[in-house]
Amino acid sequence: MAPNVENLTAVLVKAEELRLEKRAIPEPKDDEVLLKMGCVGICGSDVHYLVHGRCATFILNAPMVIGHEGSGTVAKVGKNVKNLKPGDRVAIEPGVPCRKCEFCKTGKYNCCPNIFFCATPPDDGNLCQYYTHAADFCFKLPDNMSLEEGAMMEPLAVGVHACNQGEVKFGDNVLITGCGPIGLVSLLAAKAMGAVKVIMTDITPHRMDVALKAGADAVIDVSKGTQDEHTEKIKSILGGDLPRVTLDCTGFESSMRLAINSTRTGGVIVLVGMGSSEMKLPLADALTREVVIKGVFRYRHCYPTAIQMVASGKANVKQFITHNYTLEQTVEAFDTARTGKGNPIKVMIHCSK
């Protein structure tokens, strides 16, 4: 049985109203595990829900437990659970699909229309002390990985999926637009998959500095100069060539236009960032050069790869954790994430003392 303690939980009541509540410790179902939560990172989508009460087409209509970038320690297992035992430390893949629809049966379970996904309305998240989750979507962490790194598997999985969509392979040159958290983990994933050179773009000096320290071969400040000048600089860095794969991690129209302009003929553009619902893009240029444009929605089958990247030392996600807070400091943590005070990359909340 779980310890008889209160389950402190972070609840987003509505836009601009985030509070801590004491709730009962849940009981795991037959195929679930009860987790003593370790760490939960704050994602940009969490901030969108706090500030706007919505993220893309997902709208907050009722109070919701926030948080989806989580790790924890198994406290109790349901009677059917065989893959985990109490004491195991796990990374939590927050999306649990129905397992029955066409998308699930063909392997694209991230597109399941009936998926449960932590902290996506109306589904509760995991920023709390105790949380239950499907056991087969909890991935055991190797002994050389921390719970902080376990929580970082969620954003890293996005980078892995983006690189999978771009079919990044050994010897590729890659362009990544945006040096935010997703751009940075995509950099790690691309390098781990064998990318030879990765060029990144941004407009914020601090983030560009972080990208260089994390292994980017070059960064371009796109706040200065024209799109054509940026493309020429990319070509110069690559010895006259253009990247085969471009990952747009911004969602901005200007970055997507640069992506089309700067991806080699026959290459692949992966749109990772979520931007405006409508944009004006030079699609004729992409079509006549057979540039493939793909989207990204979360991830699928990526957690094992992400964990191995970190456990093997090929991906240092810990370098991006810039701010740490306790669960009791959740409101302060979100204030740091939303205002950018102290140049945060990843704000991490520690749920256990």
Side-chain angles (χ1 to χ4, degrees), residues 88-285:
D88 285 343
R89 299 173 312 117
V90 301
I92 306 164
E93 182 169 349
V96 180
C98 76
R99 301 177 175 87
K100 297 177 182 178
C101 70
E102 175 189 353
F103 297 104
C104 288
K105 289 183 176 181
T106 56
K108 295 185 177 181
Y109 66 82
N110 57 316
C111 296
C112 171
N114 300 308
I115 195 169
F116 167 93
F117 200 93
C118 290
T120 296
D123 300 330
D124 282 332
N126 53 29
L127 184 48
C128 52
Q129 289 174 311
Y130 288 92
Y131 168 75
T132 55
H133 199 71
D136 58 328
F137 280 83
C138 294
F139 295 86
K140 188 175 178 180
L141 296 174
D143 291 340
N144 67 338
M145 281 183 64
S146 66
L147 287 170
E148 291 90 345
E149 290 169 317
M152 289 293 292
M153 293 306 91
E154 199 280 338
L156 182 57
V158 177
V160 171
H161 184 48
C163 289
N164 284 342
Q165 288 287 79
E167 300 177 9
V168 174
K169 61 185 184 299
F170 185 82
D172 275 336
N173 293 319
V174 177
L175 171 65
I176 299 176
T177 57
C179 296
I182 296 301
L184 292 170
V185 292
S186 296
L187 162 66
L188 297 186
K191 284 286 188 175
M193 290 181 174
V196 175
K197 286 190 177 180
V198 178
I199 301 170
M200 301 187 71
T201 68
D202 209 283
I203 60 174
T204 307
H206 169 71
R207 288 189 167 186
M208 290 188 282
D209 288 342
V210 172
L212 286 171
K213 291 175 183 175
D217 295 279
V219 295
I220 298 173
D221 184 349
V222 289
S223 68
K224 305 168 184 175
T226 66
Q227 176 182 284
D228 287 339
E229 288 172 340
H230 300 149
T231 298
E232 285 304 311
K233 189 167 185 178
I234 291 166
K235 190 181 292 185
S236 175
I237 293 168
L238 298 180
D241 201 0
L242 286 172
R244 189 188 71 81
V245 181
T246 296
L247 311 178
D248 174 55
C249 298
T250 71
F252 290 123
E253 181 179 307
S254 58
S255 292
M256 294 184 191
R257 295 179 71 89
L258 176 63
I260 292 173
N261 203 48
S262 301
T263 302
R264 69 153 62 170
T265 297
V268 182
I269 297 171
V270 183
L271 304 181
V272 189
M274 191 77 74
S276 300
S277 58
E278 294 186 10
M279 298 183 190
K280 186 177 180 181
L281 299 173
L283 291 180
D285 179 29

Side-chain angles (χ1 to χ4, degrees), residues 18-143:
L18 177 64
R19 69 187 183 202
L20 293 171
E21 296 180 0
K22 294 175 182 177
R23 295 190 172 186
I25 296 173
E27 188 71 16
K29 296 176 183 176
D30 292 348
D31 296 305
E32 293 182 337
V33 290
L34 173 66
L35 300 169
K36 182 179 182 183
M37 293 299 296
C39 297
V40 177
I42 297 179
C43 175
S45 65
D46 297 322
V47 175
H48 269 282
Y49 286 122
L50 173 63
V51 176
H52 305 292
R54 65 181 297 158
C55 184
T57 58
F58 301 103
I59 301 171
L60 182 72
N61 291 315
M64 174 186 74
V65 180
I66 201 72
H68 64 273
E69 298 181 359
S71 66
T73 303
V74 177
K76 185 179 181 181
V77 301
K79 70 176 186 179
N80 295 337
V81 175
K82 306 297 183 185
N83 62 315
L84 296 169
K85 65 183 184 304
D88 285 343
R89 299 173 312 117
V90 301
I92 306 164
E93 182 169 349
V96 180
C98 76
R99 301 177 175 87
K100 297 177 182 178
C101 70
E102 175 189 353
F103 297 104
C104 288
K105 289 183 176 181
T106 56
K108 295 185 177 181
Y109 66 82
N110 57 316
C111 296
C112 171
N114 300 308
I115 195 169
F116 167 93
F117 200 93
C118 290
T120 296
D123 300 330
D124 282 332
N126 53 29
L127 184 48
C128 52
Q129 289 174 311
Y130 288 92
Y131 168 75
T132 55
H133 199 71
D136 58 328
F137 280 83
C138 294
F139 295 86
K140 188 175 178 180
L141 296 174
D143 291 340

